[in-house]
Amino acid sequence: MLSHVIVISLLCTLSYHTTLQSTNVNVYDDYRKFLSTKTPYSFIGNFNDTEVKFSGCEAEKIWAIFRHGTRTAGIRIALKMKEKLTMIQKLLLDNHHKSDYLKEPVLSELRKWKVSFNESENKLLTHEGEEELLLLGERYLNRFPKLLNEHYNNATYKFRFTGTQRTEESAKNFAVGLFGRKESLYVWYPEPLHRDPILRFYKLCDKWKVEVKKNPATMREVELFREADALKGGVKQFSEELKLDQPLTVADCYEIYVACAFETAWAPTEEPSPWCKILPLNLFKAYEYMEDMEYYYKDGYGYQVNHDQACVALKDMVEHLLNPDDPTAVFYFTHSGTLLKLVSHLGLYKDKEPLRHNTSNWNKRKWRTSHIDAFGTNLAFIRYSCGDDGEKILTMHQERPVILPGCPTSSPLCPLDVFLDNYADSLSCDFDTICSLADPKTEL
């Protein structure tokens, strides 16, 4: 009973928008803050690309890792959304005369809406995704003009992507932003590995696959939240406002949320999708929190093995930054699962209490995938030489300097010896030991 009371309190704190009084796009701006991992990078990036300078210091090397840009939906999601949304569209249009919730021009937009999810385009980089990475390349060049020469040389630059179209095209568009369209054609990319031990280390981690990915307990908090009276009550209230013959379910409203998120990501500067104008803001917040919990337990602080295994990426970064024979610039292109595990390995965005279905201070959480894992998410480490002050490391997330736990807070630059001491265990980690199963007979 107590958990229900807390969850009810959680949902009740969300403002419930029950009418749409205006056609002004700004009316709907708030929903853009709650789109979780489908948030377009243009909503959260740092677009001030002036040169990054620190008095007495020179940038010497950079290692950066990127999530691919905005992509199309996967086949399974596309088929499910196609089936559900056409049904919901018909239900809303057939019943709209019973309520004044849906008004023009939203009704007109809903009538014109057609399924835009093509199952033949399975998780492919979109035009918006190309633009996200191209502009990222331009901004990185502008921030570090002395470090990043506009002319490509394979001894100076190292590029690498996973075996997917979306990361390959992300890398190539980033290169266009960095070198220009003509010179980017000379960039050499190694053949992607089927199971990359750095870019997708979790694919090689047996313990993670068994104890997290295939473990029903991983989704327990999400399921408890989905079944909570408060969330169901919010959906019920929404249905009652619409006066529907057939009430919407929690799953129905989630499909609306996903449709809004994808259609926003594909065209972030255009008129919002009608689905974004229909779903009340309290449900946007609720579904974002539901997704945050999923990624928290699947990729973040929910399980130790999630972030422990990311030591291999941190190790690769340090080796590149310290080895004088390695390229000056290393750019990797990968996926959400890699970035979130690495971010949590670094100790960033860690809440004092685990995310739970009945968390009372959920609204003040640091773990917000809408901000820390949007399409195009990037994490960069830059090594500086600062004369008598020695070597230092700048860490940037989403193109903004971040101060890592254990580093001095007086400057974004962390002394190299402090950095290495903080992550000493990571640099000597044994991936096979971390990822070995207690019972080797356990099925994968």
Side-chain angles (χ1 to χ4, degrees):
M1 177 65 73
L2 179 59
S3 65
H4 283 170
V5 171
I6 296 174
V7 179
I8 289 170
S9 173
L10 185 159
L11 265 291
C12 285
T13 59
L14 303 176
S15 58
Y16 189 85
H17 287 192
T18 56
T19 57
L20 298 165
Q21 301 290 346
S22 169
T23 60
N24 190 322
V25 171
N26 291 330
V27 170
Y28 313 109
D29 275 354
D30 277 354
Y31 82 85
R32 298 167 182 258
K33 302 173 185 176
F34 308 104
L35 302 181
S36 187
T37 59
K38 297 164 193 67
T39 301
Y41 192 76
S42 60
F43 287 6
I44 58 96
N46 175 18
F47 306 109
N48 177 4
D49 61 353
T50 54
E51 184 177 355
V52 177
K53 294 181 180 180
F54 295 95
S55 180
C57 298
E58 287 292 332
E60 294 189 333
K61 280 196 169 189
I62 182 171
W63 183 100
I65 190 165
F66 300 79
R67 183 189 175 197
H68 57 77
T70 294
R71 61 165 173 82
T72 58
I75 292 174
R76 182 180 58 82
I77 292 177
L79 289 173
K80 189 176 179 182
M81 290 171 67
K82 184 180 291 188
E83 176 186 349
K84 282 273 190 181
L85 290 172
T86 50
M87 179 273 289
I88 295 169
Q89 179 189 35
K90 184 176 187 307
L91 183 64
L92 293 174
L93 292 175
D94 287 350
N95 287 267
H96 79 87
H97 60 282
K98 299 176 183 178
S99 165
D100 63 354
Y101 184 95
L102 294 178
K103 302 178 184 296
E104 297 292 354
V106 177
L107 273 170
S108 178
E109 292 170 15
L110 187 60
R111 290 188 191 99
K112 295 175 184 175
W113 181 86
K114 292 181 181 179
V115 173
S116 56
F117 316 112
N118 188 340
E119 56 266 30
S120 66
E121 298 178 347
N122 183 29
K123 297 184 179 181
L124 301 182
L125 195 72
T126 64
H127 174 71
E128 178 64 22
E130 295 173 352
E131 189 79 357
E132 286 167 340
L133 271 296
L134 187 151
L135 294 176
L136 271 166
E138 289 182 351
R139 291 196 298 275
Y140 266 77
L141 175 63
N142 291 340
R143 288 197 183 94
F144 304 103
K146 296 175 184 175
L147 181 64
L148 302 177
N149 192 296
E150 292 183 62
H151 299 291
Y152 172 73
N153 183 312
N154 64 4
T156 305
Y157 289 93
K158 178 182 178 180
F159 286 79
R160 186 164 156 185
F161 49 78
T162 65
T164 63
Q165 182 269 359
R166 57 193 181 278
T167 55
E168 179 176 352
E169 291 304 312
S170 291
K172 290 178 178 178
N173 279 279
F174 182 85
V176 171
L178 204 56
F179 306 115
R181 200 162 296 278
K182 183 177 180 180
E183 186 138 0
S184 69
L185 297 175
Y186 297 103
V187 176
W188 178 78
Y189 304 96
E191 189 71 24
L193 301 174
H194 175 58
R195 291 187 174 184
D196 194 302
I198 303 299
L199 301 193
R200 259 185 163 176
F201 46 79
Y202 51 94
K203 296 283 187 179
L204 299 167
C205 187
D206 292 344
K207 184 173 183 178
W208 178 79
K209 286 189 278 187
V210 170
E211 297 183 5
V212 180
K213 184 180 180 182
K214 296 186 178 182
N215 182 0
T218 300
M219 294 295 287
R220 182 177 294 137
E221 291 297 325
V222 174
E223 294 301 330
L224 287 171
F225 187 74
R226 188 180 284 127
E227 294 299 319
D229 290 343
L231 180 55
K232 287 184 174 180
V235 171
K236 181 182 178 184
Q237 184 180 356
F238 177 42
S239 288
E240 288 174 350
E241 289 286 341
L242 294 164
K243 292 183 168 45
L244 300 176
D245 293 334
Q246 176 186 337
L248 295 174
T249 65
V250 169
D252 292 335
C253 290
Y254 180 69
E255 296 304 330
I256 295 176
Y257 170 80
V258 173
C260 167
F262 268 121
E263 293 193 337
T264 299
W266 296 335
T269 61
E270 296 182 11
E271 179 72 16
S273 162
W275 300 114
C276 302
K277 301 177 181 181
I278 291 169
L279 196 69
L281 191 62
N282 71 320
L283 292 183
F284 274 104
K285 294 180 179 181
Y287 287 122
E288 182 206 32
Y289 185 61
M290 194 169 79
E291 294 216 341
D292 284 353
M293 281 193 288
E294 176 180 348
Y295 290 104
Y296 180 87
Y297 288 99
K298 188 173 68 175
D299 297 314
Y301 295 104
Y303 288 89
Q304 188 79 23
V305 69
N306 289 347
H307 42 89
D308 277 356
Q309 60 180 307
C311 64
V312 293
L314 189 71
K315 207 165 163 180
D316 183 88
M317 178 271 293
V318 170
E319 288 173 356
H320 273 290
L321 292 188
L322 298 188
N323 189 340
D325 296 327
D326 279 355
T328 302
V330 173
F331 296 119
Y332 290 157
F333 299 85
T334 183
H335 306 267
S336 171
T338 303
L339 266 298
L340 286 176
K341 291 178 182 70
L342 183 53
V343 160
S344 54
H345 185 87
L346 293 167
L348 295 171
Y349 315 111
K350 185 175 185 179
D351 294 285
K352 291 182 179 179
E353 299 294 332
L355 270 59
R356 306 283 192 200
H357 73 282
N358 55 0
T359 298
S360 59
N361 64 340
W362 67 277
N363 202 30
K364 296 180 180 179
R365 68 189 184 279
K366 298 175 183 177
W367 186 265
R368 288 282 306 280
T369 52
S370 299
H371 300 279
I372 67 175
D373 192 36
F375 286 125
T377 282
N378 53 99
L379 188 63
F381 299 85
I382 302 93
R383 193 191 90 197
Y384 282 83
S385 178
C386 299
D388 294 339
D389 283 343
E391 305 290 303
K392 298 187 179 184
I393 300 287
L394 172 67
T395 305
M396 299 181 76
H397 183 230
Q398 314 298 42
E399 303 177 83
R400 298 178 181 88
V402 291
I403 296 176
L404 298 175
C407 288
T409 58
S410 56
S411 168
L413 294 178
C414 185
L416 179 61
D417 57 345
V418 174
F419 183 94
L420 296 178
D421 187 55
N422 287 345
Y423 297 104
D425 290 344
S426 302
L427 303 179
S428 61
C429 74
D430 185 333
F431 182 81
D432 291 338
T433 300
I434 291 170
C435 290
S436 65
L437 288 164
D439 180 4
K441 296 180 181 178
T442 306
E443 289 188 16
L444 301 181

